[in-house]
């Protein structure tokens, strides 16, 4: 316990890097949300549904126009069942430390909501939560192509999500993207030229983009085999010829050949520009999906072919944590990212880190990414993450794997130095 306390005390002094967020910039935060609708935006709502709450009740409790006390009455039975999870604990910690409410219940929900609304209306809430309380130096925010938002009060750089370009589904969507960069598209070659211009505008023209994001594990397997240009072109032509009228735009979903070719195109671009690629692996947010689609071993062919590209495996690949460790051990270009992981299962995160530190060089693991759509959750997550890393490192000190000085050195690597190096963030920290 003494070693854990010493490590936690040190880790709590660190100003850390946050490798992944979905937060809106503060100026675009939903001004109509109340505390219940915001806290149930995602994550903990999934556990309430898993516990048995109906979809209809969830839709109602997310509706901020309905009386919050009545909505809480629908939440409370399921809250009692699910508050034990990492998601539930992160919410409770955030509410306790940010708003001074020890327990969320029928007696406290009105007071909590008043404090929540007051904090939002006063402004500066992001600074208080992210910088002052969470000690986040810099956060990498997921964003769509050409939607980078600069706000000097928010500590964000950006990851370029390929999804809108990956999931083109009719001629109009292709044309709309082309018009953004003053291009015309008639062929797959034209389209790939448009994509490269969009990428260059993000990564070459002085923006704050630092990584490419592949998040397609929600909708298909992340195995992207090599296909021929002709196969991809056939798929692309099918998409292109599905929309000949402004009044008729049926959704047509591409065959896998185009998608597979496109991911290899993106990897080649990342290789040319020296960019890291973040990949969603492991559990998908929400309820009900094919977890096998997100096994990180599906990416092995990319690791083998694009040996100079740094791949960052998100979400500690839970429940494929050991597979992630094996890949990071075997491939110079594969790194493990614990973003989201500490609240998926705090115990799994602790155990995985203990084992990884036996198998994986310590410079290949990033300890924290909040991965939240609402800012208060980030505080609760980093609170758990710091304790998890302290606990795992204490185990390694106790078993004689390394001494306290080395444990502190590794802690700083995990929370700060590794993500700074992997995502080349040094220049942003000096600004």
């Amino acid at each position: 316990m003494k070693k854990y306390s010493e490590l936690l005390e040190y880790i709590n002094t660190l100003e850390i890097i946050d490798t992944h967020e979905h937060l809106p910039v503060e100026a675009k935060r939903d001004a109509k949300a109340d505390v219940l609708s915001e806290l149930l935006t995602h994550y903990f709502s999934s556990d309430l549904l898993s516990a048995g709450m109906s979809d209809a009740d969830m839709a109602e409790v997310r509706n901020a126009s309905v009386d919050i006390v009545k909505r809480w009455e629908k939440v409370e039975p399921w809250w009692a069942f699910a508050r034990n999870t990492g998601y539930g604990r992160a919410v409770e910690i955030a509410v306790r430390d940010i708003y001074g409410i020890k327990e969320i219940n029928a007696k406290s929900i009105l007071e909590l909501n008043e404090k929540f609304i007051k904090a939002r209306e006063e402004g500066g809430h992001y600074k208080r939560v992210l910088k002052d309380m969470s000690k986040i130096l810099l956060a990498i925010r997921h964003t769509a192509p050409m939607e980078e938002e600069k706000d000097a009060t928010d500590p964000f750089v950006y990851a370029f999500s390929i999804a809108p370009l990956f999931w083109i589904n009719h001629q109009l969507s292709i044309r709309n993207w082309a018009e953004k960069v003053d291009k015309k598209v008639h062929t797959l070659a034209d389209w790939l030229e448009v994509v490269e211009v969009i990428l260059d505008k993000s990564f070459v023209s002085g923006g704050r983009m630092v990584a490419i994001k592949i998040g397609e594990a929600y909708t298909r397997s992340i195995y992207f085999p090599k296909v021929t240009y002709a196969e991809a072109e056939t798929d692309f032509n099918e998409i292109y010829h599905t929309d000949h009228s402004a009044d008729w735009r049926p959704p047509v979903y591409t065959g896998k050949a185009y998608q597979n070719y496109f991911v290899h195109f993106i990897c080649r671009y990342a290789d040319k520009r020296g960019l890291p690629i973040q990949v969603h692996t492991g559990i998908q947010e929400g309820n009900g999906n094919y977890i096998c689609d997100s096994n990180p071993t599906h990416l092995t062919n990319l690791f083998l072919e694009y040996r100079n590209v740094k791949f960052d495996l998100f979400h500690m690949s839970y429940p494929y944590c050991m597979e992630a460790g094996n890949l990071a051990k075997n491939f110079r270009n594969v790194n493990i990212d614990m973003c989201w992981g500490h609240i998926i299962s705090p115990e799994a995160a602790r155990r995985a880190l203990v084992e990884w530190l036996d198998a994986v060089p310590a410079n290949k693991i990033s300890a924290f990414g909040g991965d939240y759509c609402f800012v208060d959750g980030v505080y609760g997550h980093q609170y758990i993450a710091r304790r998890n890393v302290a606990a795992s490192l204490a185990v390694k000190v106790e078993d004689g794997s390394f001494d306290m000085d080395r444990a502190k050195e590794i802690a700083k690597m995990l929370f700060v130095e590794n993500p700074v190096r992997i995502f080349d963030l040094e220049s942003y920290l000096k600004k």
Side-chain angles (χ1 to χ4, degrees):
M1 189 66 183
K2 183 178 179 182
K3 292 180 174 61
Y4 165 78
S5 297
E6 183 177 344
L7 282 163
L8 181 58
E9 182 179 4
Y10 171 73
I11 289 170
N12 280 338
T13 69
L14 295 175
E15 292 183 296
I16 65 177
I17 301 298
D18 180 340
T19 60
H20 184 51
E21 291 295 352
H22 288 272
L23 297 172
V25 294
E26 187 165 16
K28 294 191 176 181
R29 192 178 174 200
D30 185 358
K32 295 180 180 179
D34 63 11
V35 72
L36 199 53
S37 63
E38 181 156 301
L39 293 181
L40 296 183
T41 302
H42 68 166
Y43 289 157
F44 188 60
S45 56
S46 299
D47 282 349
L48 296 179
L49 292 168
S50 178
M53 189 178 194
S54 71
D55 291 339
D57 281 351
M58 179 57 70
E60 182 176 340
V61 300
R62 282 174 167 164
N63 184 353
S65 66
V66 178
D67 179 72
I68 194 170
V69 174
K70 291 181 179 179
R71 286 153 56 215
W72 176 255
E73 289 174 359
K74 289 184 177 289
V75 172
E76 194 162 31
W78 307 111
W79 167 256
F81 292 134
R83 61 186 291 192
N84 58 283
T85 68
Y87 297 162
R89 278 139 65 185
V91 168
E92 285 196 304
I93 289 164
V95 165
R96 180 195 70 199
D97 291 357
I98 297 171
Y99 302 106
I101 302 293
K102 292 183 179 179
E103 184 176 332
I104 309 173
N105 55 39
K107 294 180 180 179
S108 66
I109 191 67
L110 281 174
E111 180 187 1
L112 171 59
N113 193 46
E114 289 171 2
K115 291 184 174 182
F116 169 86
I117 293 172
K118 181 181 179 181
R120 182 178 62 208
E121 291 177 346
E122 287 178 343
H125 192 63
Y126 271 35
K127 179 181 182 300
R128 181 187 174 216
V129 174
L130 297 178
K131 294 185 178 180
D132 300 341
M133 296 184 68
S134 300
K135 294 184 179 178
I136 292 173
L137 278 172
L138 201 64
I140 301 174
R141 178 177 173 265
H142 172 109
T143 193
M146 302 182 74
E147 290 185 3
E148 176 185 1
E149 298 171 276
K150 296 180 177 67
D151 186 332
T153 66
D154 297 332
F156 295 137
V157 289
Y158 297 86
F160 179 109
S161 171
I162 71 166
L165 307 175
F166 180 95
W167 286 105
I168 54 170
N169 56 15
H170 49 66
Q171 186 190 131
L172 183 61
S173 64
I174 297 168
R175 197 162 65 235
N176 285 344
W177 281 111
E179 288 173 355
K180 291 177 186 290
V181 292
D182 298 320
K183 296 283 187 179
K184 295 186 183 300
V185 173
H186 302 285
T187 66
L188 176 58
D190 293 339
W191 170 243
L192 295 178
E193 182 181 343
V194 165
V195 172
E196 185 154 9
V197 171
I198 292 171
L199 286 162
D200 282 347
K201 281 182 175 292
S202 297
F203 290 102
V204 182
S205 302
R208 291 171 64 86
M209 292 282 186
V210 299
I212 293 172
K213 166 75 184 298
I214 299 175
E216 278 32 76
Y218 280 88
T219 45
R220 54 155 287 171
S221 167
I222 56 173
Y223 174 52
F224 302 105
K226 197 89 165 176
V227 298
T228 66
Y229 182 88
E231 291 170 315
E233 188 176 37
T234 298
D235 271 359
F236 180 84
N237 289 343
E238 182 180 350
I239 301 164
Y240 191 87
H241 291 295
T242 59
D243 189 0
H244 300 284
S245 166
D247 298 320
W248 182 65
R249 300 167 189 162
V252 175
Y253 296 99
T254 68
K256 287 188 176 179
Y258 164 75
Q259 297 172 353
N260 293 336
Y261 189 91
F262 186 80
V263 165
H264 283 264
F265 174 83
I266 290 294
C267 289
R268 292 194 296 274
Y269 182 89
D271 196 357
K272 180 172 68 174
R273 297 294 184 191
L275 297 168
I277 296 179
Q278 300 176 321
V279 188
H280 179 111
T281 62
I283 186 173
Q284 301 100 338
E285 154 66 349
N287 299 86
N289 210 320
Y290 291 95
I291 186 63
C292 55
D293 282 349
S294 65
N295 189 321
T297 60
H298 291 325
L299 299 164
T300 301
N301 64 314
L302 301 184
F303 304 153
L304 285 166
E305 181 168 355
Y306 304 102
R307 295 173 184 248
N308 294 323
V309 175
K310 292 180 288 187
F311 291 92
D312 189 53
L313 303 184
F314 267 12
H315 316 315
M316 66 185 192
S317 299
Y318 178 89
Y320 304 108
C321 303
M322 295 308 101
E323 285 86 342
N326 181 280
L327 292 166
K329 186 176 184 66
N330 277 279
F331 289 93
R332 181 187 294 111
N333 57 337
V334 175
N335 303 282
I336 298 170
D337 199 316
M338 299 183 79
C339 64
W340 188 13
H342 299 281
I343 55 171
I344 294 171
S345 171
E347 177 61 21
R350 291 189 292 268
R351 284 189 281 107
L353 184 55
V354 169
E355 182 160 341
W356 290 335
L357 289 173
D358 277 342
V360 179
N363 66 327
K364 307 195 72 183
I365 305 166
S366 295
F368 176 70
D371 202 359
Y372 264 105
C373 291
F374 59 92
V375 67
D376 294 344
V378 179
Y379 172 81
H381 192 171
Q382 64 80 36
Y383 181 98
I384 294 171
R386 291 178 192 262
R387 280 151 182 77
N388 280 352
V389 173
S392 297
L393 291 173
V395 169
K396 307 311 289 181
V397 174
E398 290 283 358
D399 69 15
S401 296
F402 37 75
D403 62 19
M404 183 61 70
D405 288 342
R406 177 59 174 162
K408 292 177 180 178
E409 182 181 316
I410 290 174
K412 188 173 183 180
M413 292 168 67
L414 302 181
F415 277 110
V416 187
E417 295 171 353
N418 293 349
V420 167
R421 186 191 68 259
I422 291 167
F423 300 106
D424 194 18
L425 301 178
E426 191 66 47
S427 62
Y428 298 101
L429 296 177
K430 294 176 181 178
K431 293 178 181 179

